[in-house]
Amino acid sequence: MTTFLLVPGLFMGGWAWEAVAAELTAQGHRAFPVTLPGMAERAAEDPSGVGLGEHTDAVAALLDAEGPGIVLVAHSYGIFPALAAADRRPGQVARVVCVDTGFPEPGESVVTQMPQLGLLDRAIGGVIPVPEEIPAVHAVPSTERERYHRLATPHPVRTVTEPIELTGAWLKLPTTGVFCLANGLSLEFARALHGTGLPRFAKLAEPGVTFFELATGHYPMLSTPVELADILVRAAADEGVGLYEG
């Protein structure tokens, strides 16, 4: 039995992981979908008091409560609080799984790492409004798109502007990347990044780092939850391919 801690991306709460968690539980594992401060059922919290630090504190508290041996799964934005928490509590984490996301460098924020998203351009009153639609390329079924728009909540601005604090302790943890091919991430792309020789991409080819490719878009917990759950179980078992094996 493995314990999975499931951290969502922008605009989402633990509800986004419900189908994945149900499949993991059915396979005999423990799964904890995370709702971060100010999100989903916690959306009534004042967004001005919610930043990346508060999100990191929330994940670290769950690591303390449920660890050691946790497989820490983070989707998209969720890698920022998840990785910062793992860096604080490396002894609680057996593996970090990055779902369709890269990993930030110390001092980076979401808006400095991904300025192309234009998040600050859309911010109003301390929050970023929920996008009007999920593009068809992400293959989210209509029922899940409807649920997304019913349950998604505006995201506190400070969570994407505050820089991440990392000591480098997390770099020693086994790590798995799950690439969603329809969103443009792939083994081929990761090899190109590693081939630049930049130090930030060195970990991609290290022992203990594995990868999977999933033929869907950026929201696999909504589009292919059973397949994603199977990949998470395999990642926990140290399966997957190395950067130059696939």
Side-chain angles (χ1 to χ4, degrees):
M1 182 183 71
T2 301
T3 298
F4 294 88
L5 198 63
L6 308 169
V7 184
L10 292 170
F11 314 112
M12 298 188 288
W15 60 265
W17 291 103
E18 287 175 359
V20 173
E23 180 63 23
L24 291 171
T25 300
Q27 294 188 33
H29 303 287
R30 299 169 74 232
F32 295 91
V34 177
T35 293
L36 295 167
M39 304 305 301
E41 66 269 22
R42 305 181 63 175
E45 300 175 24
D46 182 0
S48 67
V50 179
L52 180 59
E54 285 71 29
H55 280 187
T56 299
D57 290 344
V59 178
L62 288 168
L63 291 177
D64 287 339
E66 304 299 334
I70 288 174
V71 174
L72 181 59
V73 182
H75 171 244
S76 194
Y77 158 80
I79 195 61
F80 275 78
L83 206 61
D87 194 71
R88 290 186 196 173
R89 306 285 196 274
Q92 302 293 80
V93 179
R95 179 173 291 271
V96 176
V97 181
C98 310
V99 178
D100 212 42
T101 187
F103 39 79
E105 287 281 280
E108 282 189 333
S109 67
V110 176
V111 295
T112 59
Q113 188 192 56
M114 295 177 282
Q116 71 277 12
L117 297 180
L119 295 174
L120 295 186
D121 296 336
R122 296 191 278 125
I124 302 173
V127 297
I128 305 161
V130 177
E132 293 184 0
E133 64 178 354
I134 296 177
V137 68
H138 297 310
V140 177
S142 59
T143 54
E144 288 300 300
R145 289 202 307 273
E146 185 279 329
R147 193 167 72 102
Y148 173 90
H149 288 294
R150 177 164 44 87
L151 298 177
T153 46
H155 203 93
V157 168
R158 284 181 47 230
T159 65
V160 302
T161 58
E162 288 185 357
I164 190 171
E165 296 181 5
L166 297 171
T167 67
W170 81 272
L171 289 167
K172 299 178 183 179
L173 294 173
T175 306
T176 295
V178 180
F179 297 133
C180 295
L181 297 176
N183 197 43
L185 295 183
S186 64
L187 273 167
E188 181 180 4
F189 182 70
R191 290 174 188 137
L193 292 178
H194 183 259
T196 65
L198 294 173
R200 69 176 298 155
F201 301 124
K203 183 174 172 64
L204 293 173
E206 289 181 358
V209 178
T210 61
F211 299 94
F212 293 87
E213 292 181 327
L214 193 54
T216 190
H218 185 56
Y219 302 91
M221 68 289 300
L222 304 180
S223 59
T224 54
V226 174
E227 293 86 343
L228 178 57
D230 288 342
I231 282 176
L232 297 182
V233 172
R234 293 177 61 194
D238 299 326
E239 294 184 32
V241 299
L243 187 63
Y244 294 104
E245 295 175 359

